[in-house]
Amino acid sequence: MRFLNATTLEFESVADSELHLVQNEWAILSHRWGADEDEISYDDIQHSRDLSTKISYGKIRGFGQKAVSESCKHCWIDTACINKQNSSELSEAINSMYQWYRDSKVCIVYLEDVPSKPFSESEWFTRGWTLQELIAPESVTFYDREWNKIGTKADLMAELVKRTGIPEGILNHTTRLSACSIAQRISWAAERRTTRVEDSAYSLMGLFDIYMPMIYGERDKAFLRLQEHIIQKSKDESIFAWPMDFPGHTMTYSGAFAPSPLAFSGCGDIIQMDGSRGFSETNGDLCIWSKRRPYSVEGYSVGGYRIMLHCTKASLHGDRIFILVARTSAPNEYVRVRDTRYGNLGLLALCDMEAIAEKEIRLPIAPNKPPLRTFPGFKLRKIEPYGHTVAPARLTVLSNTEHPDPSILYQVDYTEKISGIVRFDQESGPGTMTSGILQQSPIDFIKLGFDPEFNPVIWLIHRFSGILLERVFEEALASGPKSKRHRSLMNVKDGGLDAANFAAGPSHKIIIDREKGLRDHLVRAAKLRISMQLETLDQQSDEHLDPCGLPVSPMKIWVVDVIALQEQIAAVKEEEDQSFSCFSCFR
């Protein structure tokens, strides 16, 4: 290890195997760098230049004197003791930095802007590298611009804890770093800045006992790479417990990892909990096992989930933090999304999740597919029930919310659950005659909505039970979408999915898996074939970019086809009482 002689300010080298010897104890400097031309560099000392001509000479001379007063023959300063022109040496030094500060006899902190600023307002507290320089060494002494002693780390403990948010046990080395969650440790750096973007990641390696090569020029990818290395050594899921609405961040969706330490602002009270099964990474995708609960994410409702993490707030051990994800077009792939209504991170009661089995979730580290966007409603494309095959079916549509396209049943969001009701109007009074046989649809109404897990639902209401809701339907139709009758009919509690006036009498309910849709589902008793698939709402709309330059997928809508079974049309028709009996049995 290369040192400066504390008295002569000349280089001296000590073998790594001898660093533990008392005569080789060293002092190490923590400071804010000045301009490159003002700092004493490796080349200045290597080529025996006149150091007194440099602005920083007083700093390095004062540091040597303080090292001598601490009975240290050697001293180390980052501006001079690293040959930064040698990339392998620079990489080794950065990877070893935390260890060098930890093993020093004393860390001398030079605060050039104190006393012109109060101690706690020194810019030293805002720099990225100085975080590990405060935590790693056991003995730290602070000095002002004139080398007057301010105090030791122990003397100033209460002020340091308040200013940095770092627990006292970490600063005085009575608590292991690993006892603090990943989110908590990164939060200590959230408000700190570095001159090089990459250093915001490199300066944190020591806090996680991580060694990785330096690639200056990779910019923000350095922090992503750091997080990849962290999860290789830890099962702590708090690494995902960062909110997407941190200052200056406007992305509508992202991968699993945070884009910068700033994302962890406010995460200082997050603690990890038992139960994590760890992570695996394959071809740029991160796979985690987690309990998940369906959730209507604004604009991304299909495949939206709350993903439970095995971490929580320090004061809420009975809860667990969740993040929001939405499905992309790739199989079993999800991305983190922002919900402007409710945020993107919250708490779930653990007792509410105990019965839910864990499933694998695949999150890309760098997403290249946007989340699916779904319109909150249905488009009636081909509605040709039995008895309406000669001419197009005459329909009366009652939508939750009015839409310019009369074929669309629409609701403002997914919380109301009911999108609309369709009535089949018979062609000639109660029925039409073909070949002398009464041909009439076995159903009078269909209703479309969403269940509590946001799966699409379709109800088929038999024509006899439809009589029960005919009057209510006509009143709602006549009174308009803002009327009490209309709101009641579309409300979950009053006219909802299982309310008596919809479920009374023979009826049939089909719940469609929101991630698979429904294709050619046969309901023989109703003589129908039903399909419901996600398709693009506007066929002219192509994928475009959001304000952050990220791809945005076209808006999708559930397209509904209800078509008469052809074999039923060709077959001899059954009597009406037989049709009724058959229809009743599939409740």
Side-chain angles (χ1 to χ4, degrees):
M1 183 174 176
R2 184 187 296 119
F3 294 105
L4 289 178
N5 181 292
T7 302
T8 66
L9 299 184
E10 296 177 349
F11 285 140
E12 294 180 347
S13 294
V14 176
D16 289 350
S17 59
E18 297 179 357
L19 288 175
H20 67 285
L21 300 177
V22 174
Q23 63 266 29
N24 290 328
E25 290 181 328
W26 69 89
I28 198 164
L29 183 68
S30 177
H31 66 118
R32 280 204 63 215
W33 286 27
D36 288 345
E37 62 272 17
D38 296 334
E39 295 290 345
I40 293 175
S41 67
Y42 169 84
D43 284 343
D44 291 332
I45 298 175
Q46 182 72 6
H47 296 96
S48 303
R49 294 170 182 156
D50 183 4
L51 304 183
S52 63
T53 61
K54 292 277 190 171
I55 292 177
S56 64
Y57 177 73
K59 174 170 62 177
I60 200 170
R61 172 53 68 190
F63 170 48
Q65 293 171 351
K66 295 304 177 184
V68 170
S69 70
E70 296 282 357
S71 302
C72 293
K73 175 185 175 183
H74 304 298
C75 58
W76 189 91
I77 178 172
D78 50 7
T79 50
C81 293
I82 304 173
N83 179 6
K84 299 177 185 62
Q85 302 305 312
N86 185 321
S87 59
S88 61
E89 180 177 329
L90 176 61
S91 181
E92 178 186 0
I94 290 177
N95 276 283
S96 304
M97 199 85 69
Y98 189 89
Q99 179 183 345
W100 291 346
Y101 275 88
R102 182 194 64 199
D103 295 343
S104 66
K105 181 179 181 181
V106 62
C107 175
I108 304 294
V109 179
Y110 180 64
L111 304 180
E112 195 169 10
D113 54 357
V114 176
S116 58
K117 289 183 177 180
F119 169 69
S120 63
E121 295 179 16
S122 171
E123 290 191 25
W124 183 86
F125 287 104
T126 69
R127 308 308 297 173
W129 286 105
T130 59
L131 174 61
Q132 67 174 8
E133 294 165 8
L134 173 63
I135 292 174
E138 185 172 353
S139 176
V140 181
T141 305
F142 295 87
Y143 293 89
D144 68 11
R145 179 182 180 86
E146 303 302 325
W147 288 103
N148 298 309
K149 183 176 179 180
I150 300 172
T152 65
K153 181 159 70 169
D155 299 332
L156 302 166
M157 184 61 70
E159 193 168 359
L160 290 171
V161 170
K162 181 179 179 181
R163 176 64 181 82
T164 64
I166 304 171
E168 182 174 345
I170 296 297
L171 293 177
N172 64 20
H173 291 201
T174 59
T175 301
R176 294 176 294 107
L177 271 171
S178 58
C180 296
S181 72
I182 292 171
Q184 185 178 19
R185 278 178 272 176
I186 300 179
S187 75
W188 303 334
E191 304 298 330
R192 293 173 178 261
R193 301 293 177 264
T194 56
T195 302
R196 301 290 297 269
V197 174
E198 298 85 350
D199 285 339
S200 65
Y202 303 158
S203 62
L204 293 175
M205 294 191 300
L207 270 65
F208 298 98
D209 195 25
I210 296 296
Y211 298 89
M212 66 183 199
M214 309 297 101
I215 310 176
Y216 281 104
E218 65 175 332
R219 298 185 64 78
D220 294 330
K221 291 181 181 178
F223 189 61
L224 297 179
R225 219 164 31 98
L226 175 70
Q227 293 171 89
E228 289 184 77
H229 278 74
I230 290 173
I231 65 169
Q232 292 172 10
K233 302 184 65 171
S234 173
K235 297 193 296 183
D236 181 1
E237 294 178 6
S238 73
I239 193 170
F240 309 119
W242 51 277
M244 288 183 65
D245 54 355
F246 62 92
H249 183 70
T250 57
M251 294 174 66
T252 53
Y253 64 92
S254 76
F257 293 136
S260 77
L262 183 60
F264 290 87
S265 299
C267 294
D269 61 343
I270 292 179
I271 59 175
Q272 64 183 99
M273 305 298 289
D274 295 335
S276 173
R277 296 170 60 174
F279 325 101
S280 62
E281 184 183 337
T282 306
N283 298 326
D285 288 338
L286 185 67
C287 296
I288 65 174
W289 284 84
S290 178
K291 297 175 183 285
R292 65 187 192 182
R293 170 173 286 179
Y295 182 75
S296 171
V297 183
E298 185 178 28
Y300 308 108
S301 61
V302 105
Y305 288 99
R306 290 174 174 174
I307 302 299
M308 189 189 83
L309 303 178
H310 290 91
C311 58
T312 188
K313 298 284 187 177
S315 59
L316 299 169
H317 284 247
D319 295 334
R320 293 294 182 271
I321 289 174
F322 71 81
I323 57 174
L324 297 181
V325 301
R327 185 165 62 92
T328 74
S329 58
N332 195 36
E333 180 182 271
Y334 298 82
V335 292
R336 287 197 59 175
V337 291
R338 181 205 301 262
D339 190 321
T340 56
R341 299 168 304 170
Y342 309 118
N344 54 85
L345 181 145
L347 292 168
L348 287 169
L350 182 60
C351 60
D352 293 339
M353 302 294 288
E354 289 178 346
I356 300 176
E358 290 188 341
K359 294 185 178 181
E360 187 180 54
I361 302 291
R362 186 161 63 88
L363 295 164
I365 293 172
N368 55 23
K369 294 182 182 297
L372 296 176
R373 297 190 305 141
T374 348
F375 188 80
F378 303 82
K379 182 175 179 62
L380 307 175
R381 179 171 58 189
K382 194 172 183 181
I383 309 298
E384 295 180 355
Y386 177 73
H388 290 273
T389 54
V390 176
R394 291 169 51 199
L395 309 176
T396 301
V397 177
L398 186 63
S399 179
N400 184 307
T401 304
E402 289 183 326
H403 190 275
D405 185 342
S407 69
I408 288 180
L409 303 181
Y410 164 59
Q411 58 192 69
V412 175
D413 55 39
Y414 284 82
T415 58
E416 295 174 345
K417 304 293 191 297
I418 301 172
S419 296
I421 307 165
V422 179
R423 182 178 65 189
F424 298 140
D425 300 324
Q426 302 301 329
E427 296 296 323
S428 299
T432 59
M433 294 297 296
T434 301
S435 301
I437 300 174
L438 181 66
Q439 292 198 10
Q440 182 174 333
S441 173
I443 61 173
D444 272 354
F445 292 88
I446 63 172
K447 186 180 64 170
L448 296 158
F450 296 89
D451 75 358
E453 296 187 353
F454 313 106
N455 295 302
V457 181
I458 182 170
W459 262 262
L460 310 177
I461 311 299
H462 189 274
R463 62 175 176 269
F464 293 145
S465 59
I467 295 173
L468 301 174
L469 84 115
E470 178 72 30
R471 180 179 57 83
V472 178
F473 183 87
E474 285 291 345
E475 289 177 359
L477 194 64
S479 57
K482 295 183 179 180
S483 68
K484 183 177 179 181
R485 173 58 75 187
H486 186 281
R487 292 197 304 270
S488 176
L489 198 58
M490 300 296 171
N491 184 275
V492 173
K493 294 181 179 179
D494 297 333
L497 299 179
D498 293 309
N501 57 340
F502 279 100
S507 61
H508 185 49
K509 177 173 71 174
I510 305 170
I511 300 176
I512 294 97
D513 187 326
R514 62 181 178 158
E515 296 195 20
K516 298 178 181 179
L518 187 71
R519 190 177 297 278
D520 293 332
H521 177 79
L522 302 183
V523 184
R524 294 189 180 278
K527 307 173 184 178
L528 296 175
R529 184 175 77 250
I530 300 174
S531 295
M532 190 181 297
Q533 294 290 321
L534 278 176
E535 298 185 13
T536 302
L537 176 60
D538 180 359
Q539 296 298 332
Q540 302 303 315
S541 64
D542 296 321
E543 189 174 276
H544 60 281
L545 301 181
D546 70 7
C548 300
L550 293 173
V552 176
S553 61
M555 183 68 75
K556 302 282 186 176
I557 190 170
W558 290 105
V559 175
V560 182
D561 295 320
V562 179
I563 305 171
L565 289 177
Q566 295 301 313
E567 63 267 26
Q568 291 288 351
I569 297 172
V572 177
K573 310 305 181 293
E574 298 175 286
E575 297 295 333
E576 287 299 314
D577 58 339
Q578 292 176 316
S579 176
F580 178 88
S581 175
C582 186
F583 195 92
S584 335
C585 71
F586 55 82
R587 282 199 60 193

